[in-house]
Amino acid sequence: MTTTTPLIPREHLFGNPSKSGGQISPDGQWLTWLAPVDGVMNIWLAPRADPSNAKAISSSTDRPIPGYVWAPDGQSILYVQDKGGDENFLLYRIDIATGAETSLTPFEDTRVQIIGTSNTIKTAILLGLNNRDPQLHDIYRLDLTTGELTLVLENHGYAGFETDDALNVRLAMSQNEEGGTDYFRVTDNVVEAEPFETTAMEDALTTSPAGYTSDGSILYWLDSRGRNTAALYAQDTKTGERTPVAEDDKADIGGTLRHQDTGVVEAYSVNYLKTSWHALDADIAAAFEWLSSQFEGQSGVLSRTDDDRIWIVWNDPVGAPISTYIYDRDAQTLTPFYTTRPELEGAPLQPMQGIEITSRDGLTLPSYLTRPAGADSAGPMVLLVHGGPWARDDYGFNSIHQMLANRGYSVLSVNFRGSTGFGKDFINASNLQWGLAMHDDLIDAVEWAIDQGIATRDQVAIMGGSYGGYATLAGLAFTPETFACGVDIVGPSNLETLLGTIPPYWAPMVKIFHERMGNPGTEEGLALLKAASPLYKADQITKPLLIAQGANDPRVKQAESDQIADAMKAANIPVTYVLYPDEGHGFAKPDNSIAFFAIAENFLAEVLHGRAEPLGDVLAASTAEIIEGAAHVQGLSASLSG
């Protein structure tokens, strides 16, 4: 990497976007988006005919609003918000005509789910509320006009539901003893005693219902039963007959685009190394073809009007910031809406490569590599591991990839066994393999990068959040000579205590954890969990570690980071521990995110000798508490004392 490449400011990568989450109202009259108000992301509204005449319509002053939807009647905006990262999301409504903002679920210790919406019933939706039993969501009908909540179905053991366009509950699902899923018909809000469909554990993460057509005659499924990758099927709800709609040999069928009135699938996506959309409808095919001729990189649909003539579309060229447009299908015009991070225009963003790496036992690991500008030889590398683990890495603009590449590191993200989207065989190869074959995949990827002349053997860091944080701890504890250092963000250190403190609303799904990780209720399962827990091998860690934790994290409790930090401190191993009292499972507040990545890049610079933007006074705007180890991060002690 040439030292003349300008440093991209952290704030440009991790601060608030200028705008995001663009949508259009159902009638096409209004544009909405998320943008800062006094540094906090809020919802904005403007007439489509005059986008410059915009105003903020929400009033969050602390935590950013994470997302919103238009109510089906187009008369209001609905959004959710939690407190301090506790993930107890409540539902709020903003009236478009009056601007009145009201709480629709004024409860404590409650997590709201939107269970069902309708194209024909515009003034009501179905909600799930766990205020009776924190483990279970009862279904209520919410009148969007009056705010009245009416109990529809009291839940006595089901993990989820499917509803139709008439806002009828049609299907309930629960885990069975084998770790699979049973699906039950629901008639007049009564759940039938026997399931009409069932999956074994091997299909549980790759098979699920995907919604009804508007007339309720067809139930779509994403289904891997009898095959490897999940295919799209249409099931006749009267006869049970199933018709295949789409399949792909390398990847599961992903998202779908539905007809606004009928609910019939018009297009579907497949995401192997990159996402591709495939149209089943001629008009949709023509629209996709025209859009692809206008864009470089990937694009997709964010929002559509009820008549489906106006779309909000996004384009991610990877080497430039993501932009959003208003697409008039009749006029075949694209009108610029906004660029998410305009300050990155002209910045030295680097391309991302989709690659395939072969594991030691022959699995293909779809992966992504970003290299520094001008890199033509081996150098320092960061292995960036995704969370989940039942999630995946994707192609596209990635702020962490771009920052690290800009600082002089190659960045490699690996879809290891257990990652989703690549069929059930790939997921099931991870069963009971935490810290074992799942970790081997990451080590194999490092060896590949070394063999390819990308990484220098003694200059590889490991970094990640959630499961990626666990992988970081496991990397330093189980293979201490592989990595020069690690950055753990909200990662569990003890799998036994992790499973003992899962959020209550995960209880109906706990079997999946026991079957795929190890059951702490059995002698064999407990031994497996302990063997895979970095805490018990903390004394084998020899390389520097940076830990970040949110005090309100409901998934990975603060104790998970406390105990590994304490163990390392007791063994006199370098550890830096940063605690955020107002965060949960990751960073919601941009000042906290900027502060953390400031610490992280200076930590990496200390060990791997890459470039770093000086810390300056970045910590002052954040709530970061340095619990331990300021001396191990370049400039951190001076920043704290200054």
Side-chain angles (χ1 to χ4, degrees):
M1 172 175 185
T2 59
T3 56
T4 56
T5 304
L7 279 179
I8 302 174
R10 286 183 299 263
E11 187 173 356
H12 292 181
L13 292 164
F14 302 106
N16 281 320
S18 64
K19 293 179 182 176
S20 66
Q23 295 188 33
I24 191 165
S25 62
D27 62 6
Q29 298 301 304
W30 300 97
L31 298 172
T32 47
W33 61 89
L34 294 168
V37 176
D38 296 329
V40 179
M41 294 297 280
N42 273 277
I43 303 167
W44 290 67
L45 174 82
R48 180 177 151 220
D50 183 14
S52 64
N53 186 20
K55 62 178 180 180
I57 58 172
S58 64
S59 55
S60 182
T61 58
D62 181 36
R63 296 186 68 74
I65 291 177
Y68 69 95
V69 295
W70 275 90
D73 61 4
Q75 302 302 304
S76 61
I77 296 283
L78 308 176
Y79 73 90
V80 294
Q81 184 66 286
D82 70 347
K83 297 175 182 177
D86 65 3
E87 297 188 11
N88 284 320
F89 290 102
L90 299 179
L91 185 66
Y92 300 85
R93 177 183 187 271
I94 303 169
D95 186 277
I96 297 300
T98 67
E101 192 172 358
T102 56
S103 171
L104 296 172
T105 54
F107 310 113
E108 293 295 324
D109 300 322
T110 299
R111 180 183 172 93
V112 173
Q113 297 175 345
I114 295 181
I115 301 291
T117 61
S118 169
N119 291 323
T120 53
I121 301 172
K122 303 286 191 180
T123 58
I125 61 174
L126 296 180
L127 296 182
L129 296 175
N130 65 340
N131 55 338
R132 177 186 61 86
D133 182 336
Q135 295 188 2
L136 301 169
H137 282 78
D138 299 326
I139 299 181
Y140 287 81
R141 185 179 177 116
L142 170 67
D143 187 309
L144 292 170
T145 305
T146 66
E148 181 181 5
L149 284 165
T150 304
L151 180 65
V152 172
L153 188 153
E154 194 168 277
N155 182 4
H156 294 287
Y158 299 98
F161 300 90
E162 284 285 333
T163 65
D164 63 17
D165 194 65
L167 296 182
N168 297 312
V169 183
R170 295 282 298 273
L171 181 152
M173 59 197 82
S174 66
Q175 284 204 316
N176 54 42
E177 287 301 312
E178 291 71 39
T181 308
D182 291 332
Y183 298 93
F184 303 84
R185 290 190 178 93
V186 180
T187 304
D188 295 328
N189 300 318
V190 176
V191 182
E192 292 184 358
E194 297 298 323
F196 77 101
E197 296 280 358
T198 190
T199 72
M201 184 190 75
E202 67 173 4
D203 293 292
L205 289 176
T206 42
T207 298
S208 61
Y212 293 87
T213 54
S214 297
D215 62 8
S217 65
I218 296 293
L219 172 61
Y220 288 108
W221 287 85
L222 295 173
D223 202 328
S224 65
R225 287 174 292 182
R227 51 178 295 120
N228 176 30
T229 57
L232 178 64
Y233 293 90
Q235 182 177 41
D236 187 301
T237 54
K238 287 185 178 179
T239 67
E241 182 181 355
R242 290 154 48 90
T243 304
V245 177
E247 65 177 10
D248 186 89
D249 289 339
K250 282 193 168 184
D252 301 327
I253 302 301
T256 59
L257 194 72
R258 310 290 177 92
H259 190 281
Q260 298 284 75
D261 296 326
T262 67
V264 170
V265 172
E266 296 179 306
Y268 63 90
S269 67
V270 176
N271 184 1
Y272 182 60
L273 287 176
K274 295 182 180 180
T275 298
S276 59
W277 278 91
H278 307 267
L280 303 172
D281 173 87
D283 288 341
I284 296 296
F288 281 178
E289 185 176 354
W290 187 81
L291 286 172
S292 67
S293 72
Q294 306 299 304
F295 295 135
E296 292 185 6
Q298 298 195 127
S299 59
V301 181
L302 281 172
S303 179
R304 304 152 75 190
T305 54
D306 275 350
D307 64 10
D308 207 25
R309 305 322 301 164
I310 306 296
W311 292 357
I312 305 299
V313 298
W314 57 268
N315 172 229
D316 179 3
V318 183
I322 297 170
S323 293
T324 302
Y325 301 84
I326 304 164
Y327 171 38
D328 187 318
R329 294 180 62 194
D330 295 325
Q332 208 161 79
T333 57
L334 280 175
T335 303
F337 188 177
Y338 59 82
T339 298
T340 301
R341 295 185 180 274
E343 59 272 26
L344 290 177
E345 291 177 342
L349 301 178
Q350 298 306 303
M352 175 183 279
Q353 300 170 245
I355 54 178
E356 294 177 324
I357 298 171
T358 303
S359 72
R360 66 188 68 180
D361 58 352
L363 283 184
T364 299
L365 311 176
S367 304
Y368 301 97
L369 175 68
T370 305
R371 300 209 69 188
D376 56 5
S377 60
M381 186 182 85
V382 177
L383 182 70
L384 183 63
V385 187
H386 71 69
W390 306 302
R392 62 163 292 166
D393 280 310
D394 274 308
Y395 178 83
F397 175 83
N398 184 303
S399 290
I400 303 177
H401 268 246
Q402 293 296 344
M403 184 195 79
L404 293 173
N406 181 254
R407 290 351 185 213
Y409 311 109
S410 292
V411 193
L412 181 61
S413 291
V414 181
N415 284 306
F416 48 87
R417 70 192 68 205
S419 302
T420 53
F422 307 102
K424 69 183 180 188
D425 293 348
F426 196 72
I427 290 177
N428 291 323
S430 72
N431 292 344
L432 306 180
Q433 294 298 314
W434 283 52
L436 299 170
M438 295 168 75
H439 184 62
D440 289 345
D441 288 347
L442 300 177
I443 301 302
D444 292 347
V446 171
E447 291 298 323
W448 173 89
I450 293 169
D451 291 343
Q452 293 292 315
I454 294 167
T456 302
R457 183 170 296 279
D458 61 353
Q459 287 187 295
V460 179
I462 183 169
M463 175 177 181
S466 195
Y467 178 88
Y470 161 80
T472 296
L473 299 176
L476 295 189
F478 303 161
T479 49
E481 297 309 311
T482 300
F483 300 103
C485 61
V487 180
D488 155 34
I489 307 167
V490 297
S493 62
N494 183 339
L495 300 187
E496 180 189 2
T497 55
L498 172 73
L499 291 179
T501 57
I502 62 171
Y505 45 85
W506 285 8
M509 304 177 291
V510 72
K511 189 75 174 177
I512 195 173
F513 298 102
H514 291 172
E515 293 297 322
R516 295 184 185 273
M517 295 173 61
N519 186 344
T522 68
E523 183 177 346
E524 181 183 8
L526 182 59
L528 195 65
L529 291 169
K530 286 186 174 180
S533 295
L535 180 66
Y536 295 107
K537 294 187 174 71
D539 61 340
Q540 297 183 30
I541 297 175
T542 60
K543 305 296 174 56
L545 173 64
L546 169 62
I547 300 172
Q549 176 69 46
N552 303 319
D553 192 337
R555 307 186 200 186
V556 178
K557 301 291 189 182
Q558 181 183 330
E560 294 296 323
S561 291
D562 289 350
Q563 56 197 359
I564 191 78
D566 289 344
M568 291 184 65
K569 183 181 177 183
N572 293 315
I573 305 164
V575 60
T576 304
Y577 182 16
V578 188
L579 181 68
Y580 292 84
D582 57 348
E583 295 284 12
H585 198 60
F587 312 111
K589 294 184 174 183
D591 285 340
N592 288 339
S593 184
I594 292 168
F596 172 73
F597 285 104
I599 295 171
E601 67 167 311
N602 280 277
F603 170 80
L604 292 171
E606 181 90 27
V607 181
L608 299 181
H609 311 298
R611 304 192 305 168
E613 185 181 355
L615 281 165
D617 60 356
V618 69
L619 294 182
S622 80
T623 60
E625 299 176 0
I626 312 301
I627 305 299
E628 189 64 43
H632 305 309
V633 177
Q634 176 178 288
L636 183 53
S637 295
S639 177
L640 293 171
S641 62

